[in-house]
Amino acid sequence: DTEVTQTPKHLVMGMTNKKSLKCEQHMGHRAMYWYKQKAKKPPELMFVYSYEKLSINESVPSRFSPECPNSSLLNLHLHALQPEDSALYLCASSHPTRAGEWNTEAFFGQGTRLTVV
Amino acid sequence: KQEVTQIPAALSVPEGENLVLNCSFTDSAIYNLQWFRQDPGKGLTSLLLIQSSQREQTSGRLNASLDKSSGRSTLYIAASQPGDSATYLCAVNGGSQGNLIFGKGTKLSVKP
């Protein structure tokens, strides 16, 4: 099973709402990632969790709050978003080699299409 | 700072043609390079992964090559089909946590 599952597939939220995106994988991967992709642009890294600890935050605004409750689950909590935050949010996972190198294949979910109104 | 460039930005070919997509990167200190396919509004499907020590990888009608020293990779698609129409993204892994840096993609259209 090489599947990364993201829910919901589509989300429309107002600027005062609080919502969460969910990502799940059962491949035993110990790194999970959030990427943001605007229309006609490539994905850009937001956060990396390595062994359930936040290891990279690419200077993302605090209205985006990631959480990694366990090694299979990754959440992205959203609060007070702006219309320009509308995008496709992609989750990915990967796993280090026995030597501890992060050079293995990354697997992506189908994304959550977020629209902020 | 690593930069990834893909040429061409868009490509339209008749069915059955063989084609080449190009990817270049500025910093040769990478662990691997991965090619993805993305259909409109969808997630990324991994096509091929090439480790930095490898020269090429093949999967079906797809062949990807890597020249790390010159910072280049190519994706060769043989006997293209309308179902190959999608955006193809090249991504390099040079970070300490396996994070990827993407090119802007090549949008491929294969006409019946």
Side-chain angles (χ1 to χ4, degrees):
Chain A
D1 180 12
T2 57
E3 190 170 347
V4 176
T5 303
Q6 290 187 243
T7 55
K9 287 185 171 51
H10 301 276
L11 178 62
V12 178
M13 61 184 290
M15 290 188 284
T16 58
N17 291 159
K18 286 185 180 181
K19 297 287 186 182
S20 296
L21 310 185
K22 179 181 173 181
C23 174
E24 201 163 2
Q25 56 88 14
H26 297 287
M27 294 177 278
H29 289 176
R30 300 309 296 273
M32 296 185 76
Y33 311 80
W34 282 115
Y35 288 84
K36 175 181 179 179
Q37 186 178 25
K38 300 279 283 182
K40 301 188 186 303
K41 300 287 188 182
E44 294 183 341
L45 183 69
M46 300 175 71
F47 302 104
V48 180
Y49 271 85
S50 174
Y51 291 92
E52 296 89 71
K53 289 187 178 4
L54 183 64
S55 57
I56 296 179
N57 175 344
E58 292 287 285
S59 302
V60 178
S62 60
R63 57 186 184 269
F64 295 91
S65 176
E67 178 195 21
C68 189
N70 58 58
S71 59
S72 299
L73 190 57
L74 182 67
N75 298 320
L76 186 63
H77 303 298
L78 313 172
H79 173 56
L81 294 192
Q82 304 296 311
E84 58 264 29
D85 296 322
S86 299
L88 182 68
Y89 288 84
L90 295 163
C91 174
S93 71
S94 70
H95 193 69
T97 64
R98 290 180 186 174
E101 295 177 338
W102 296 94
N103 61 352
T104 55
E105 188 173 7
F107 294 91
F108 281 76
Q110 287 300 298
T112 294
R113 172 70 62 189
L114 174 67
T115 303
V116 182
V117 297
Chain B
K1 181 185 173 184
Q2 178 75 270
E3 293 183 1
V4 181
T5 302
Q6 290 188 246
I7 294 173
L11 183 62
S12 181
V13 299
E15 182 177 4
E17 275 205 3
N18 302 324
L19 55 99
V20 174
L21 308 181
N22 297 291
C23 172
S24 62
F25 46 95
T26 55
D27 186 348
S28 62
I30 65 170
Y31 292 119
N32 59 43
L33 183 146
Q34 206 165 340
W35 282 93
F36 293 92
R37 168 186 172 137
Q38 186 172 35
D39 293 294
K42 304 293 185 182
L44 306 182
T45 300
S46 179
L47 298 173
L48 288 165
L49 170 73
I50 312 180
Q51 298 293 351
S52 61
S53 59
Q54 297 175 323
R55 297 287 295 189
E56 67 178 80
Q57 282 287 338
T58 298
S59 175
R61 295 183 292 109
L62 305 179
N63 176 279
S65 67
L66 175 64
D67 184 342
K68 197 178 81 158
S69 61
S70 66
R72 294 180 183 176
S73 176
T74 61
L75 178 66
Y76 175 84
I77 302 177
S80 58
Q81 303 171 357
D84 295 330
S85 298
T87 295
Y88 291 79
L89 292 161
C90 161
V92 298
N93 172 7
S96 60
Q97 301 292 315
N99 43 297
L100 301 176
I101 298 173
F102 288 84
K104 292 183 178 181
T106 294
K107 185 175 182 180
L108 173 65
S109 176
V110 181
K111 306 292 187 185

